[in-house]
């Protein structure tokens, strides 16, 4: 019985290691391609490891375009959208979970129904609206909508708040706390796992967003990293080592963030909806 269990566990680990290597292979190929010389890129059979490590490819590729400007724009958009989603979504979710008002359940159903509307459907109306405001070719269309919450994040936060005992609210009210103080001093610290989860999700979606900047931005000085990489790809379509080098550098922040926040992501997902 014990030997069968060991064989089963060993087989499972072998399969998991194989799948991990399978998923890591494209990333490994990207890194090694970024370090190759141009002569080694199209060799057949392909070489997994370069003969000499060309670390200067990273500097040449990064300095070939104003990627420092693109990086600053991406940092501004990602930080402000993440902050906006956390502030607005927590407040809206707190209102849905703790306040009773006419039409609350209906409004919440309408909010959830908006998740079924693809962004491609609202893309043109949003462009017309932002054009009327004079926001085209600015970062505002990428930042301002995040300060009105996202249905999925609001749903997660509402489910978590509903699992918090209402006796905590009642005890705080007996001590003289108002609704905002209850939200700020009690619910917000308890929502920390979900807030981290939302922050990571929004960081990834905002950092990797390509279609939004492509539609709303025209000036190169406003480009984000994804647009800058696409432009670099178009201008230097044969400079494969440079494209891979920039792609690797752009991929580092999400990978580092996910590595350090994966524990909070698991805790946030597992604690949502449980009382």
């Amino acid at each position: 019985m014990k030997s069968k269990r060991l064989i089963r566990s060993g087989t499972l680990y072998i399969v998991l290691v194989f799948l991990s290597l399978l998923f890591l292979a494209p990333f490994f190929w990207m890194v090694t391609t970024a370090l190759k010389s141009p002569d080694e890129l199209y060799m057949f059979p392909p070489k997994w490891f370069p003969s000499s490590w060309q670390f200067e490819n990273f500097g040449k590729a990064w300095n070939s375009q104003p990627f420092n400007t693109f990086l600053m724009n991406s940092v501004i958009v990602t930080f402000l959208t993440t902050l906006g989603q956390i502030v607005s979504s927590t407040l809206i979710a707190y209102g849905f979970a703790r306040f009773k008002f006419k039409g609350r359940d209906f409004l919440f159903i309408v909010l959830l129904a908006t998740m079924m509307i693809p962004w491609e459907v609202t893309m043109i109306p949003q462009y017309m609206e932002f054009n009327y405001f004079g926001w085209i070719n600015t970062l505002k269309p990428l930042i301002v909508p995040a300060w009105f919450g996202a249905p999925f994040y609001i749903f997660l936060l509402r489910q978590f708040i509903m699992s918090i005992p209402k006796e905590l609210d009642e005890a705080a009210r007996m001590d003289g706390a108002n609704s905002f103080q209850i939200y700020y001093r009690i619910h917000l610290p308890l929502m920390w796992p979900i807030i981290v989860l939302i922050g990571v999700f929004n960081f990834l979606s905002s950092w990797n967003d390509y279609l939004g900047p492509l539609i709303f931005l025209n000036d190169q000085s406003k480009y984000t990293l994804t647009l800058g990489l696409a432009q670099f790809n178009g201008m230097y379509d044969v400079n494969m080592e440079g494209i891979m080098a920039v792609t690797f550098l752009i991929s580092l922040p999400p990978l580092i963030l996910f590595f350090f926040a994966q524990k909070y992501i698991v805790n946030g997902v597992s604690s949502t909806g449980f009382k």
Side-chain angles (χ1 to χ4, degrees), residues 151-186:
F152 179 65
Y153 300 155
I154 295 170
F155 170 75
L156 289 179
L157 289 163
R158 174 184 176 272
Q159 297 302 108
F160 184 83
I161 295 174
M162 291 181 67
S163 67
I164 300 175
K166 292 184 179 180
E167 288 77 11
L168 293 176
D169 298 29
E170 297 171 358
R173 290 191 185 278
M174 291 181 64
D175 290 336
N178 55 36
S179 298
F180 183 78
Q181 289 173 331
I182 294 173
Y183 155 78
Y184 179 73
R185 296 180 178 273
I186 296 178

Side-chain angles (χ1 to χ4, degrees), residues 41-100:
L41 292 176
Y42 304 104
M43 294 182 63
F44 187 84
K47 295 180 62 176
W48 280 93
F49 295 95
S51 301
S52 61
W53 303 89
Q54 306 292 324
F55 291 100
E56 62 272 12
N57 290 342
F58 291 94
K60 291 179 181 178
W62 189 265
N63 295 324
S64 63
Q65 292 285 314
F67 278 104
N68 289 327
T69 302
F70 303 157
L71 174 63
M72 182 60 62
N73 293 335
S74 291
V75 169
I76 292 173
V77 171
T78 303
F79 174 76
L80 292 179
T81 54
T82 303
L83 179 63
Q85 289 289 4
I86 291 174
V87 172
S88 59
S89 297
T90 53
L91 282 171
I92 297 171
Y94 174 68
F96 275 118
R98 284 298 191 254
F99 289 91
K100 294 183 179 180

Side-chain angles (χ1 to χ4, degrees), residues 19-266:
L19 292 176
S20 300
L21 294 176
L22 189 64
F23 282 104
L24 288 174
F27 185 80
F28 179 77
W29 180 258
M30 175 183 67
V31 176
T32 56
T33 302
L35 295 169
K36 290 178 180 178
S37 61
D39 297 334
E40 296 178 315
L41 292 176
Y42 304 104
M43 294 182 63
F44 187 84
K47 295 180 62 176
W48 280 93
F49 295 95
S51 301
S52 61
W53 303 89
Q54 306 292 324
F55 291 100
E56 62 272 12
N57 290 342
F58 291 94
K60 291 179 181 178
W62 189 265
N63 295 324
S64 63
Q65 292 285 314
F67 278 104
N68 289 327
T69 302
F70 303 157
L71 174 63
M72 182 60 62
N73 293 335
S74 291
V75 169
I76 292 173
V77 171
T78 303
F79 174 76
L80 292 179
T81 54
T82 303
L83 179 63
Q85 289 289 4
I86 291 174
V87 172
S88 59
S89 297
T90 53
L91 282 171
I92 297 171
Y94 174 68
F96 275 118
R98 284 298 191 254
F99 289 91
K100 294 183 179 180
F101 52 90
K102 188 176 180 180
R104 182 190 65 174
D105 296 336
F106 174 76
L107 289 176
F108 186 69
I109 292 174
V110 172
L111 176 71
L112 295 181
T114 59
M115 290 193 297
M116 295 184 290
I117 303 176
W119 188 77
E120 289 79 8
V121 175
T122 61
M123 180 172 56
I124 295 177
Q126 282 188 0
Y127 183 89
M128 296 173 64
E129 180 181 2
F130 294 143
N131 186 48
Y132 177 78
F133 291 154
W135 290 358
I136 300 300
N137 200 30
T138 67
L139 299 180
K140 293 179 182 178
L142 306 176
I143 298 173
V144 174
W147 289 83
F148 292 89
F152 179 65
Y153 300 155
I154 295 170
F155 170 75
L156 289 179
L157 289 163
R158 174 184 176 272
Q159 297 302 108
F160 184 83
I161 295 174
M162 291 181 67
S163 67
I164 300 175
K166 292 184 179 180
E167 288 77 11
L168 293 176
D169 298 29
E170 297 171 358
R173 290 191 185 278
M174 291 181 64
D175 290 336
N178 55 36
S179 298
F180 183 78
Q181 289 173 331
I182 294 173
Y183 155 78
Y184 179 73
R185 296 180 178 273
I186 296 178
H187 290 279
L188 206 57
L190 293 175
M191 286 188 287
W192 178 247
I194 308 298
I195 290 176
V196 174
L197 175 67
I198 290 173
V200 172
F201 281 174
N202 189 83
F203 178 92
L204 295 177
S205 63
S206 180
W207 186 267
N208 297 322
D209 185 23
Y210 172 72
L211 191 57
L214 178 66
I215 294 173
F216 299 123
L217 302 179
N218 302 321
D219 189 2
Q220 189 187 47
S221 62
K222 304 292 194 308
Y223 281 6
T224 58
L225 284 172
T226 52
L227 274 186
L229 178 61
Q231 177 177 269
F232 182 84
N233 190 5
M235 295 179 64
Y236 302 94
D237 53 344
V238 296
N239 188 4
M240 187 58 65
E241 71 276 12
I243 295 173
M244 291 299 179
V246 176
T247 303
F248 171 74
L249 294 175
I250 294 176
S251 303
L252 278 180
L255 290 174
I256 295 173
L257 177 65
F258 185 81
F259 177 80
F260 286 103
Q262 56 183 333
K263 179 180 70 173
Y264 297 99
I265 295 175
V266 174

Side-chain angles (χ1 to χ4, degrees), residues 5-19:
R5 189 180 304 169
L6 290 175
I7 294 174
R8 189 181 307 149
S9 300
T11 305
L12 178 61
Y13 283 126
I14 292 174
V15 172
L16 291 177
V17 169
F18 173 76
L19 292 176

